Amino acid sequence: YFIGSIICINSGDSFSPKLEVIDGQQRLTTICLLLLALYKRLSDHKQEIDEDNLDELSWIRKALANTKNENGLILLPQIHGENRADFSMVMQENGIIPYAKKVQFFGHRKIARCFRQFLWKIDQDLAKEDNKVAKLLEIKNKVCRAMLVKIEVSSHSDAYVLFESLNNRGTPLTAIDLMRNLILAKAEKAGLTVDECYDRWMELLGCLTDDYATQERFFRYYYNAFKEQLNE
């Protein structure tokens, strides 16, 4: 099953690659949470695993953990919305990493809810099966056969141009989406990190309410008022 492409920038080297994901973080996070749910249920049925499949738990653990990385995880989601802290927390609670900082209201946010949803769906499948371990390994093998294409570029500018091209289908990107991508692509040349630029962008939008029409009207009026200086 093809689950699309991810766009990333390699900020590491050939010995220790470090990929900054520009497009695809939600899919990678979701895959990790599904593997974690399978790890949890396989651990619950560990006594029923035969010798030939004993390494399956170890394989999933290695797919999620990376001792060389910050927090000991292979994937570090964005910090916005407590995503990184919540992701670390759910991994710690289920035995993938030894420690994670506790955060308030963790169980009410998307990461924890997604993990619980996977457990619930897996339990529904297991209820129909006599051989629980065989069913869990069947699901795990299907996850591992999913196809994901990695597109690696050298700069944020290239990444956001490519992001727009790949997403120019189905529901079109809004004018504000295009503006945000352009601004983020120019962040490096302006001496800002993408995170700094994104934070300032979200702060600006927060002052304009969540109404898209209000946001678009503001930017249109702003451009018309200052277009001579802006175009220069």
Side-chain angles (χ1 to χ4, degrees):
Y1 186 77
F2 179 57
I3 53 177
S5 57
I6 63 170
I7 303 172
C8 51
I9 301 168
N10 192 344
S11 57
D13 53 44
S14 56
F15 297 103
S16 56
K18 182 179 180 181
L19 301 177
E20 179 183 350
V21 179
I22 301 299
D23 183 35
Q25 183 180 173
Q26 288 182 351
R27 274 166 292 160
L28 293 175
T29 305
T30 304
I31 290 168
C32 286
L33 291 173
L34 176 51
L35 286 173
L36 181 65
L38 291 167
Y39 179 86
K40 166 66 175 167
R41 286 297 177 253
L42 278 170
S43 298
D44 293 342
H45 294 276
K46 190 173 182 179
Q47 301 303 320
E48 303 163 36
I49 302 177
D50 60 40
E51 290 185 6
D52 293 336
N53 293 313
L54 277 177
D55 60 343
E56 293 288 351
L57 276 171
S58 175
W59 183 93
I60 297 176
R61 187 187 182 90
K62 289 177 181 177
L64 297 172
N66 180 2
T67 55
K68 297 179 181 178
N69 208 347
E70 181 186 343
N71 294 0
L73 295 171
I74 198 79
L75 177 71
L76 295 177
Q78 285 183 326
I79 60 175
H80 305 294
E82 302 287 2
N83 286 330
R84 183 174 299 183
D86 289 350
F87 190 74
S88 298
M89 186 87 172
V90 76
M91 290 292 170
Q92 184 269 329
E93 284 190 344
N94 292 280
I96 300 300
I97 55 175
Y99 172 79
K101 181 180 178 182
K102 292 190 179 297
V103 286
Q104 285 188 317
F105 311 117
F106 153 74
H108 299 290
R109 289 189 291 269
K110 291 180 180 179
I111 297 287
R113 288 166 57 195
C114 179
F115 176 68
R116 291 198 302 268
Q117 175 74 5
F118 277 137
L119 285 179
W120 179 71
K121 293 293 287 183
I122 288 170
D123 288 342
Q124 281 188 315
D125 285 345
L126 293 183
K128 308 168 189 173
E129 303 290 334
D130 294 327
N131 191 331
K132 313 293 187 188
V133 170
K135 183 62 179 178
L136 288 166
L137 294 179
E138 177 189 335
I139 299 171
K140 176 253 179 186
N141 290 333
K142 286 181 179 178
V143 175
C144 293
R145 289 201 302 270
M147 291 189 295
L148 184 67
V149 174
K150 182 188 75 169
I151 302 174
E152 195 173 306
V153 294
S154 58
S155 70
H156 287 92
S157 179
D158 289 343
Y160 283 106
V161 168
L162 188 56
F163 173 76
E164 283 186 24
S165 301
L166 291 175
N167 284 278
N168 190 21
R169 62 189 189 279
T171 304
L173 294 173
T174 66
I176 291 180
D177 289 332
L178 295 172
M179 287 169 56
R180 180 200 62 216
N181 291 346
L182 177 63
I183 290 169
L184 292 175
K186 302 281 187 181
E188 288 175 307
K189 294 179 182 178
L192 294 170
T193 68
V194 172
D195 279 342
E196 288 172 330
C197 196
Y198 181 82
D199 287 341
R200 290 172 64 175
W201 173 260
M202 294 307 295
E203 182 182 358
L204 173 60
L205 288 190
C207 296
L208 298 175
T209 80
D210 292 331
D211 178 53
Y212 176 79
T214 300
Q215 295 173 356
E216 187 180 36
R217 187 164 64 251
F218 168 81
F219 286 116
R220 185 169 64 250
Y221 288 164
Y222 185 94
Y223 176 75
N224 287 332
F226 300 103
K227 59 185 176 184
E228 291 185 8
Q229 298 98 306
L230 290 170
N231 287 334
E232 288 176 4

